[in-house]
Amino acid sequence: MRRDFEEPVRPRFDQVIGREEVLGRARGQLSRGGSLLLHGPPGIGKSTVLRAITAEYTESARTVLRCSATESESHLPFLALVDLLGLVADEVADALPAPQQAALEAALTGRAESSPHRDGLALRLAVLSVLRALAAKGPVLVVADDLQWLDAPSAELLAFAARRLGGMPVRMLGAVRTGTEPEAQEHDPYLRAYPPETPALRLPPLSRPQVSELLTARGYSGLGRSTLRDIHHTSGGNPLFALELGRALAESPTPPRPGEPLPVPTSLRALVLSRLELLSAEARQTLLVASAGARPTQSLLESAGRSDAEAEIALAASLGLVAAQGPDGHGPDGQEGAVRFAHPLVSAALYAQATPQDRRAAHAALSTAASEPIERARHLALATTGTDEQVAERLSEAAALARDRGAPSVAARLGLLAARHTPADNRVGADERRLRSAEDARTSGEIDLAREVARDVLERATDPAVRVRAWMVVIDSAGQAMADVEAVFPQALADAGEDPRLLALVRYQLAWRALLVEGAMEKGREEAARAARLAATAGDRSTELLALSFQAQMETLMGHPAAPVTLEKALAEPQDLRVACDHNGAGATRFRWLMMSDQLTDARVSITRLLGEVRRRGIVESEVHFLRGLAETELRSGHCGRALDLAHESLRLARDTGIGEAAGNMFTSLAEAAGGDVHRALVLAGDAVRRAEDDGDLVYLSRALGALGHAQLVAGDAAGTVRSLRRARESEQRLGICDPARGRWHGDLAEALVLVGEPAEAQDVITATREHAVRLRRASVLAVLDRAEALVKAATGQHEAAVQQLTSAQDRLAQLGHGLEEARAAFALARLRAEQSGRGSYDEAARLFRRCRAMPWLRQLDAVAAADAAPVTASPGASSGVFAPTAPESVLPHLDRLASTERQVAALVLEGATNREIAARLFISVKTVEATLTRVYRKLGIRSRVDIVRLAAGHHRGD
């Protein structure tokens, strides 16, 4: 019999989004011969995932049996059995004993009264016999959706058969609806209809980026990030709910203004509020007040005039509208008396269903009941119609309080409410409140909201100071894609006029434009210095500090001798605390200086302090950058697992907010290549390169190319590494970047050049880079260059000198605390010694890689150690200390025509390895193997793998 459930070819299902982990676990379970039960609340996507898995395994299974129960038909006995076996029973009926045939026919046709109880063992054995007979002909897949509606007789028969199918190629897939509480074990009864040891897998909610992807895939594109955030929150990550909310927004003629609740379609209201009619009018009003509150409690509801709140909430909990409290009187969040709705959509639907008058009444009651001043001000605004300066002023004060507490997102919405309630005769005040709201939104990472509000301010405002600040928000909102706002700069300069304070703001942004758009680092430095002087003249210390920090950063990258002095100016008192912890401020510039100077411990202390401060203040953009900075310190120190976790945390935040996603992809690629999965590293780096090219961001393009080249090196694609890192070198030369500690790709390029047979160019790269590294005292860069130079020496036959240089490089990297680079040096040293002696020990390198949790490198080491143990002789004169085993020159003629990777692939072909085995041995993709073989065929003048073997055989015979 053929192997059950071979790993299938996986078609792409565009409708399945955010379920990669679930699908992976399902595939693994089925490939091991197991069954699986999916469960989760309505709309979570159980049926979609079930269809996707079933479609994947349809070709692997000879027989697929399906049933999908419905509530309206759940009372009909044997209906599921008819769906499952009705079309296949005749195929095996003749093999059943007469009593079983009769019982099964009666159940499937309904011609006679039948039940598991009436027909006893015969019907149970009949179902079991049918499944066994089908399984004898090939694998069987039983798929049952909506098990909660399965008729009881069919469920009992399936349970009987499932317990007795051990060893047979029958797999069962099912899905059942359970509640919203993950801790509840509502799925347990349904596992009885499945084989023993069947796992139950709960489908989790989608993340915010996944909800965004789902909406885009269904045609609801162009939604702002703040709107997407609201959809994700209101839907609770439920795909069906998110799509319905997206549809309602698309159909709404007037989309909600920032801060307003989303429109909840009637379909969703009916779905989640079906039990609301069981409550009294007073209880429904109590729930409405709870839905209007930010953090409702029973005591708050009672203070708001809901005297029977405790009993009414208890009844709502019994109906599943709110989450039940624990025996200690605390809510699910641990807050005493807390009221939490069973799902965010219940609260949203309640609020949407209420009349405007009832909503205002609820807010009016909460405006006096709430103890928190921010909440009181918000409720007062939502209870008030029209404009009112006193209300607007209270909202402005509440926004300032939220800002001070590190909640800029809350401040942004309060500011918008304040502007909305500002009387028409106070236009300047309204503009200022909108502008401050836009700045708060920018701080909190709500880029689209910030841009929208700033553009609104520019349509109304005439005051130059307000207009220039609004232009700054528009420019900042462009992020790395500054080329998209080219037209803004002349307008901002015109509004600034001759005012040095306003000109300083614009000149500071022009410095960034010079760097990112023109790639003119010296021009950027000059613009920053000019901005600093203008700001000092105007007494604007904040802008002066930002400009000095930018200037210091440029001078550092350029290797300019004035860099330390400029940095000292940026760090001098008096300081602006907000600027000091900004990701473009002096603190961040000092951190970068410490990293480039190999002061890793001080750098970690510095970035940790900065990260804590920006989190306290709610400055999301800086948090994204500082998380990445902390990840970099861990990566340099050789803590690859910790670096990978931090990099992913930063990337998730970047994707949620749309801030620095390209840079996040770039650094996460480096972390994946060090401590995760090299294929993910390649994808991330490739995406970073494309984004930088699309944005016209020359600075991050060179860094993205550096990350791509590194990932290609780890993956075994030396030729790709050379292409990418040559581009990075050209890019940095055009930019004027001289400090090799910035990108640290130089050693990788030299190593890859050795691998492709270009040791002379590798030495040129090393010599040129060393000159700058010596002048700037970059000790770790010099040690890495020595490691690369040792490989050059090994490739040219200078083995003893190479060993000495590698040993020295490893020791220095260990002293500097660069754990991963130390391990790489130990690995190269072990390979070189193995080449010299014919065998060597990789224990030290393996120990260092394990200490770093550098999984891709450990996998590469294991492959090399295994290859060294294989009977393959090294080719004379090709020893490098970094090559995998290559085909001997005595076996393949014209070996010098082939590059290193081509020789490795050819050697493994001679061993009889398949393309997939070669890819696994060399840590490259199957496509790379295929492309490499094509080049081998062309260079050797042959057409196939067989010709390689024939050439070798002919060479042995002396043909």
Side-chain angles (χ1 to χ4, degrees), residues 153-228:
S154 296
E156 185 177 347
L157 291 169
L158 274 178
F160 176 86
R163 291 192 295 271
R164 291 165 175 81
L165 286 171
M168 299 298 292
V170 178
R171 312 292 180 260
M172 300 181 71
L173 273 176
V176 63
R177 178 185 298 182
T178 50
T180 57
E181 294 299 322
E183 296 79 11
Q185 300 298 308
E186 301 172 55
H187 60 273
D188 279 354
Y190 302 96
L191 283 172
R192 298 170 191 160
Y194 281 72
E197 308 303 324
T198 295
L201 185 59
R202 181 179 179 85
L203 268 67
L206 298 182
S207 66
R208 192 187 306 176
Q210 289 166 347
V211 166
S212 174
E213 184 182 357
L214 175 66
L215 290 167
T216 301
R218 295 300 177 87
Y220 304 127
S221 57
L223 298 171
R225 290 185 181 274
S226 57
T227 302
L228 288 170

Side-chain angles (χ1 to χ4, degrees), residues 275 375 434 558 590 594 600 830:
R275 285 161 286 188
E375 279 301 292
R434 287 190 187 90
M558 295 166 62
R590 178 176 178 271
L594 292 170
L600 297 182

Side-chain angles (χ1 to χ4, degrees), residues 579-840:
V579 173
C581 65
D582 188 273
H583 64 283
N584 289 320
T589 303
R590 178 176 178 271
F591 162 73
R592 179 58 48 198
W593 176 274
L594 292 170
M595 286 293 294
M596 295 171 73
S597 302
D598 299 313
Q599 300 178 58
L600 297 182
T601 301
D602 290 343
R604 182 182 290 105
V605 171
S606 173
I607 198 67
T608 301
R609 186 184 302 117
L610 288 168
L611 179 59
E613 183 62 23
V614 297
R615 280 176 165 167
R616 187 184 71 80
R617 292 172 174 266
I619 307 175
V620 176
E621 182 171 13
S622 293
E623 183 181 356
V624 171
H625 285 268
F626 293 158
L627 274 170
R628 202 158 58 234
L630 182 56
E632 186 176 355
T633 64
E634 300 296 346
L635 186 59
R636 297 291 171 220
S637 301
H639 306 147
C640 299
R642 172 71 172 148
L644 186 60
D645 291 342
L646 287 165
H648 277 291
E649 184 180 352
S650 175
L651 184 57
R652 282 193 296 271
L653 188 57
R655 287 175 173 172
D656 279 353
T657 59
I659 295 173
E661 189 174 345
N665 285 345
M666 177 273 298
F667 185 80
T668 306
S669 170
L670 292 172
E672 285 283 0
D677 182 275
V678 70
H679 299 296
R680 282 198 296 268
L682 287 166
V683 171
L684 286 164
D687 182 77
V689 170
R690 285 189 294 275
R691 286 174 180 268
E693 289 173 336
D694 291 344
D695 292 344
D697 185 346
L698 301 177
V699 174
Y700 266 113
L701 177 58
S702 66
R703 296 211 65 183
L705 287 166
L708 178 59
H710 180 73
Q712 289 167 325
L713 182 66
V714 178
D717 182 7
T721 300
V722 170
R723 287 193 299 272
S724 297
L725 296 186
R726 278 175 175 165
R727 284 187 65 195
R729 178 175 57 180
E730 293 166 0
S731 177
E732 291 199 356
Q733 286 173 346
R734 286 196 301 271
L735 287 167
I737 296 175
C738 297
D739 196 327
R742 184 254 191 181
R744 295 178 181 268
W745 47 261
H746 312 76
D748 286 348
L749 175 55
E751 183 173 326
L753 285 166
V754 173
L755 283 168
V756 299
E758 299 288 351
E761 185 181 348
Q763 186 60 58
D764 289 342
V765 170
I766 292 166
T767 301
T769 307
R770 181 177 284 139
E771 179 182 347
H772 294 296
V774 168
R775 178 173 60 85
L776 298 170
R777 300 179 182 178
R778 302 305 190 215
S780 63
V781 173
L782 288 169
V784 169
L785 291 174
D786 280 354
R787 185 184 69 205
E789 190 170 52
L791 304 181
V792 174
K793 290 178 179 177
T796 55
Q798 304 174 62
H799 298 288
E800 291 303 323
V803 167
Q804 291 177 9
Q805 195 163 12
L806 276 173
T807 303
S808 172
Q810 180 184 343
D811 291 343
R812 286 150 53 205
L813 288 166
Q815 291 169 9
L816 291 167
H818 286 255
L820 182 57
E821 298 294 355
E822 175 196 357
R824 287 182 61 182
F827 185 25
L829 185 59
R831 297 182 75 171
L832 181 56
R833 285 174 170 159
E835 281 192 6
Q836 285 182 281
S837 62
R839 62 177 179 272

